[in-house]
Amino acid sequence: MVINKFLLSRRHALISIAGFTGGLILTSCGNEQDYETLSLGARFADGYPSSPVLTSGSPQRAPYVLMSEEGWPLSEGVPDSIELFVTEISSEETIFEGKVPRRGEPGVIPYFPLIFNPPRSGEYKVEGKGLKGHHQIRVIDPSEIQLIQIGQKMPSIQTPTMENNLEINPICTKSSGPCSLHTKSLDESLSSSTPTALLVSTPRFCQTDVCGPALDILIKQSELLDGKLSIIHAEVFKEPEKQNFSLAPVVGAFGLTFEPSLIVANSEGVVTSILHFAMDTEEVSEALSTVI
C-alpha cells in the first residue's frame, strides 16, 4: 500500500504535467510572444491527483512551468519572469501578487518557483498575468502531514555509505556509478558540529529531467564548499535493479511521497531550508547559504 501510494504520487507529481511524460521530445509553442495561449503547469503535488504537500502558516514553494496550447511544457522562448497572483477561493482574498523569476539548469525545462504564505488551510487558485485559465491547489494544516518542515529537527537516521549499504543496492543510481556523497551517514553528520544537507533522489529511476541535475548540482556544490558542511545523497528504493521498489527508510523518516528533495539543517540539526520537486544551482546555493 505504501509503495503504491508513493509511486502514484510520484507519477502524478513528477511525470504527469497535463499529460507530459519524460520520454517526450519538447518543443516551444512556436510564437514566443503569444503568451495568452499559455497556461500554468504544476511541477509539484497540488493536492488533487496526489497527496497535498503545501501547508498553512509558513512560506510554501510551488514550482510551475509554462504549458503550450498543445499541452507541452515550454522549453524555448520562456520569459525571464512571470507575474503570478494567489487567491484564497473562499474569501476571495489575494494573498500573493508579484513577479516570479525563471529558474532551471541549461538544457532543462525552465520553471518558476512560486513562494507564498497561505494563512489558512483550504483551496487557493493561482493565476498568471496574460496567461489563460488558472491552477487550483489544496493547502492543509501542518498537523495533517508528516512531511518535514523548516524549523523542525532533521530526523537522525542511518543512510547507506560505501562501507555499509544498509541493504540498499545500489546505494547510488548515478549512471557513472556511486557518487561522492556517500562517505558519511546522516546520523553521523548530525552528531557532529557541521551543518548537513540531505538530497533524496533516484537519478536512474526518475522519469523527468529534475532528478539527475539535482544530484549533479549537489556534487558540484560539495566540491566548491570543501567540507564547510556535510552533503549526503540517499536513494529512494531498496533494490530497484531487481524490481524491488520497497522504500528506503529515509523516505518514511522525512514523510516524503515524491522526489527529489533537498533538506538543509544547521549545526544543531534544525532545518533551515527545503527544496522539493525541482531545483537549480542558484536555488541550491541559496539553500546551502542558510547554514554557512
Side-chain angles (χ1 to χ4, degrees):
M1 294 294 289
V2 176
I3 298 173
N4 291 338
K5 181 180 179 182
F6 176 83
L7 292 175
L8 180 63
S9 297
R10 183 167 173 256
R11 181 179 296 111
H12 282 296
L14 295 178
I15 300 176
S16 294
I17 308 175
F20 164 61
T21 58
L24 295 174
I25 298 174
L26 303 177
T27 60
S28 70
C29 67
N31 185 348
E32 294 182 6
Q33 304 303 318
D34 193 18
Y35 293 128
E36 68 270 12
T37 66
L38 305 179
S39 58
L40 293 172
R43 204 166 189 138
F44 61 97
D46 60 13
Y48 291 99
S50 53
S51 300
V53 299
L54 303 177
T55 61
S56 60
S58 64
Q60 302 295 300
R61 179 177 172 274
Y64 280 97
V65 295
L66 288 179
M67 306 294 294
S68 73
E69 191 171 18
E70 293 77 21
W72 310 123
L74 198 67
S75 60
E76 299 176 4
V78 180
D80 291 336
S81 65
I82 56 177
E83 191 167 355
L84 296 181
F85 305 86
V86 182
T87 304
E88 184 182 25
I89 293 176
S90 62
S91 67
E92 299 185 347
E93 175 189 358
T94 298
I95 64 165
F96 173 90
E97 56 180 304
K99 290 186 176 181
V100 179
R102 181 187 66 205
R103 301 287 196 181
E105 294 297 286
V108 174
I109 300 167
Y111 66 93
F112 299 86
L114 166 66
I115 299 175
F116 69 107
N117 193 341
R120 292 167 291 276
S121 58
E123 295 184 331
Y124 293 76
K125 65 177 180 179
V126 182
E127 299 171 284
K129 184 177 182 180
L131 303 178
K132 67 177 183 179
H134 69 269
H135 180 250
Q136 196 161 313
I137 55 179
R138 286 183 59 209
V139 173
I140 60 174
D141 189 87
S143 63
E144 299 180 51
I145 196 170
Q146 294 182 336
L147 186 65
I148 196 74
Q149 303 289 320
I150 291 176
Q152 296 179 348
K153 279 275 194 176
M154 181 180 280
S156 181
I157 66 167
Q158 281 187 291
T159 53
T161 64
M162 296 292 191
E163 291 73 28
N164 184 2
N165 69 2
L166 299 177
E167 299 184 343
I168 305 296
N169 185 29
I171 63 169
C172 182
T173 62
K174 185 172 172 61
S175 59
S176 58
C179 71
S180 58
L181 307 182
H182 297 271
T183 60
K184 184 182 292 187
S185 176
L186 178 60
D187 61 339
E188 180 185 357
S189 177
L190 291 174
S191 66
S192 69
S193 58
T194 305
T196 301
L198 172 70
L199 175 69
V200 180
S201 73
T202 179
R204 194 185 308 171
F205 294 92
C206 181
Q207 298 185 47
T208 68
D209 60 1
V210 294
C211 306
L215 179 56
D216 291 337
I217 291 167
L218 266 296
I219 292 171
K220 182 63 176 180
Q221 289 294 311
S222 178
E223 295 170 352
L224 293 174
L225 293 173
D226 193 26
K228 291 182 179 179
L229 79 164
S230 296
I231 301 180
I232 296 168
H233 170 231
E235 283 283 336
V236 172
F237 303 114
K238 288 186 176 180
E239 295 179 299
E241 293 176 345
K242 296 182 179 180
Q243 301 302 305
N244 176 8
F245 290 98
S246 299
L247 300 179
V250 68
V251 174
F254 283 81
L256 296 172
T257 55
F258 54 84
E259 52 91 20
S261 181
L262 174 67
I263 304 98
V264 181
N266 61 23
S267 58
E268 297 178 347
V270 176
V271 176
T272 59
S273 186
I274 297 173
L275 297 176
H276 295 317
F277 299 107
M279 59 194 78
D280 68 357
T281 296
E282 188 169 353
E283 281 201 288
V284 168
S285 179
E286 290 173 356
L288 299 181
S289 70
T290 62
V291 295
I292 56 175

